[in-house]
Amino acid sequence: MKRNYKVLLLVLLLAFASCSFTAKTFDDPDKDKLLVRIISYVLEQGHFDPIEINDDFSVELFDDYIETIDPVKRYFYDADIREFERYKWSLDDQLKAVDITFFNVVHERLLQRIAEAKEIYKAVLSTPFDYTKDETFETNYDNVEFVKNKKDMKERWRKQLKFSTLTNYDDLMMEEKATKERDPSYVMKTETEIEKEAREATLNSIEVYFNDNVDDLTREEWFALYVDAIVSEFDPHTYYLAPKNKENFDERMSGKLEGIGARLQKRMDYIKIVELISGGPAWRSNELEVEDVILKVKQEDEDVPVNIVGMRINDAIKYIKGPKGTKVTLTIKKIDGTIKDVSLIRDIIEINETYAKASIVEKDNHKFGVINLPSFYVDFQNYKTLNAAKDVKLEIERLKAEGMEGLVLDLRNNGGGSLPAVVDMAGLFIKEGPIVQVRSSGKSKEVLSDRDRSVVWDGPLVILVNEISASASEIMAAAMQDYKRAIIIGSKQTYGKGTVQNVINLNNILRNNTQGDLGALALTTQKYYRINGGSVQLEGVKSDVKVPGRFSFIEVGEKDKDNPLPYDEIDPANYDVWDHYFDYDEAISKSNERMKNNEQLRLIEENAKWVKSKIDETVYSLNYETYKAQLELNEEESKKFDAIEDYKTNLSFNSLAYERALFESDTTNLREKRERWHKNLSQDVYIEEALNVLEDLNRSFGVKRMVSTADKIKN
């Protein structure tokens, strides 16, 4: 299974590690070969654990590159692959000799096959599909082989296009029936007319895809895919940024995002939503969720949508992004397999909507605080002005002023961020001491410590995590767990990313560069370790109270990626467990007991298993009646899980005083954003349990303090 976990914003990289290279003179008039020389040099000199470029590497690169450029096996024939295989065990030798013969041979054949594919899909879509025929389509391309001949290739395209057209056909059929119900005098289109209209929509979509994307790709961009395949063999977080992609990175760092307010990621052939930005159009719609797949995109002035399945992520984003105020309609495949259209009005999303935010809640005459932190953000140009630790500290001070007796720090879906920010943030909860250990290849470990003896919050602390909590989130949770400073509630384990990346501008490595922009390389340069000596790499952070979640049975962690670095351990740092009066063991025991009997969690776990079963179903019927029956069955089965969304606690969450004052002159819909957030909190079983744990810790504090005081008097 191919594709790297690629973070879409630079700020989500764990840190900008120091990594310097001596400027060199690389003499090569061929830009492609020059790029190979530089990439090889940077990987050898800078990667934390450079792998050996040998025959095993060659085989992996061969397979992964072919999968990258023909993931659904609709271009190359079996004979092509057998011809290419003469290079399968010699790509390592080609790289060492700066020989790009393999790329040239494959690229030339690919362009030929793409030209042939255009003729094939036009021929296929000129003939009506028979939706009464009993046949199936396999969507997991690992389970199919490259075709043997042109007849088989046309058949593969026919099934793929028929499958793509099925949703168009169903949409039009439902639209006709709905129109008839509204107006009994309406004369419905015939099935033949509907089939033709659905097929024409598919043709238009694939024409746009080829004309706007495939045909526009330059040789340089195709070669960038090959370079990315090379560097990705080293680990999932080392990847190449071609000049155009590097520019997109720079734009995303400008402070504003214009579009729907969702971060996207390509997994295999599909574009998935990996984060919704608070306050953005996608978030406000209340119809989109993390893990939703975007199948098609339709602009407000277009009659038919563009199918983005198989499209490069940067090309897909071109269709999804757009000016503020314009309308875009996304065809979404939900995680349970249902398909729906969601229309959004694009807007400008301020990055500050991803900053820390706090709420206060009263429970049984006690006040507790909740701080949500989407990422460990930082302004690298001015750390003192903008960083997550500074903002969280301010929110804690505000919560304390309103009588907070316990704090929930919500790191669910937090993909990481700045290493200095997480060290400073952990220091808010302890007097001083080590927070994380960092090791570079061939160098002694470095212990990063909090040296500020002040403690901003010394009361009960609960940290919420899930399978998406990664990098800096894992450092924070691990440090608090090792100090026994907080109770961790969440998934069986967090994401499991224990590596540090550095983005290297390749143009800075050359003394003299006359070849133009060479792009950049995101490079894994370090690994980090817990203060107890363990690593979170692959293993993640194990929660003290393990609760099921929507990702419990889905492969989303580091261990599920290609080429992850291994787990290892180093010597522990010197630290003392937090000196407190809280009975953590008893609180954990009580929480586990409550969770065992929680009906909402039982339903969430059942839903997660059901979703996994749907993901595992990769063979679909191309018979419309059978296909429709399966859709309706999925819809019916999913209804039993509607109760998950209907869950309510008796808790009311409120904004802090400073925010309530801002509501009076609100020009950014802040009140609406907070009301939405507070409503979600009031329906959140994990927040509810976190508050229960805070209550238990508070009760144990009084008892243990009395016992300790009595012991001191007795002695």
Side-chain angles (χ1 to χ4, degrees), residues 507-525:
N507 302 293
N508 295 339
I509 297 175
L510 297 178
R511 290 198 178 99
N512 297 297
N513 179 17
T514 60
Q515 295 290 347
D517 195 348
L518 295 171
L521 182 66
L523 186 70
T524 296
T525 56

Side-chain angles (χ1 to χ4, degrees), residues 40-244:
S40 300
Y41 170 72
V42 173
L43 288 169
E44 180 183 349
Q45 296 294 317
H47 194 275
F48 175 81
D49 187 18
I51 58 178
E52 185 178 352
I53 308 298
N54 56 18
D55 286 355
D56 291 337
F57 171 91
S58 183
V59 170
E60 290 291 327
L61 173 58
F62 178 91
D63 292 338
D64 290 342
Y65 178 59
I66 296 298
E67 186 175 348
T68 295
I69 58 176
D70 190 12
V72 299
K73 299 176 181 175
R74 64 182 182 183
Y75 295 136
F76 293 132
Y77 292 84
D78 179 68
D80 293 327
I81 301 302
R82 283 188 280 110
E83 182 180 340
F84 300 155
E85 281 181 342
R86 71 175 186 264
Y87 303 105
K88 191 168 187 176
W89 287 269
S90 63
L91 295 183
D92 54 325
D93 301 316
Q94 285 195 15
L95 284 175
K96 293 170 185 175
V98 197
D99 181 351
I100 56 173
T101 300
F102 171 68
F103 168 78
N104 289 331
V105 169
V106 174
H107 179 63
E108 184 178 340
R109 185 65 52 82
L110 176 64
L111 295 183
Q112 175 189 338
R113 297 308 186 205
I114 287 174
E116 293 171 359
K118 292 179 182 180
E119 300 303 318
I120 293 174
Y121 76 67
K122 288 174 185 176
V124 168
L125 289 171
S126 67
T127 305
F129 291 125
D130 181 1
Y131 289 116
T132 65
K133 186 177 180 181
D134 287 324
E135 56 183 349
T136 59
F137 178 64
E138 171 65 80
T139 60
N140 184 349
Y141 298 100
D142 287 342
N143 295 335
V144 300
E145 303 295 331
F146 286 96
V147 298
K148 303 284 187 183
N149 50 53
K150 289 187 177 181
K151 179 182 177 183
D152 291 343
M153 181 65 81
K154 186 174 182 179
E155 176 66 3
R156 174 153 298 172
W157 271 96
R158 184 190 70 81
K159 283 193 172 185
Q160 287 181 354
L161 292 171
K162 185 178 181 182
F163 180 68
S164 297
T165 308
L166 254 178
T167 55
N168 296 337
Y169 183 79
D170 183 49
D171 288 344
L172 291 169
M173 190 71 76
M174 293 301 99
E175 187 179 310
E176 287 295 298
K177 290 179 180 179
T179 303
K180 183 68 174 178
E181 288 179 4
R182 291 192 301 268
D183 180 8
S185 65
Y186 175 73
V187 179
M188 292 177 60
K189 297 174 183 175
T190 65
E191 290 187 10
T192 299
E193 290 173 324
I194 292 173
E195 187 281 332
K196 182 181 179 184
E197 190 173 334
R199 197 162 22 91
E200 288 174 346
T202 298
L203 176 61
N204 182 76
S205 178
I206 199 166
E207 288 274 308
V208 169
Y209 168 64
F210 273 90
N211 291 338
D212 291 2
N213 299 286
V214 178
D215 292 349
D216 280 351
L217 286 177
T218 64
R219 187 184 185 285
E220 180 182 46
E221 290 172 309
W222 282 114
F223 189 69
L225 293 177
Y226 180 54
V227 172
D228 186 56
I230 293 170
V231 304
S232 296
E233 297 301 329
F234 283 69
D235 74 278
H237 307 286
T238 292
Y239 55 92
Y240 174 62
L241 284 163
K244 185 182 293 187

Side-chain angles (χ1 to χ4, degrees), residues 8-28:
L8 293 182
L9 287 181
L10 221 52
V11 75
L12 292 187
L13 291 172
L14 179 57
F16 286 89
S18 59
C19 186
S20 60
F21 296 88
T22 304
K24 290 191 65 173
T25 300
F26 291 90
D27 296 320
D28 203 317

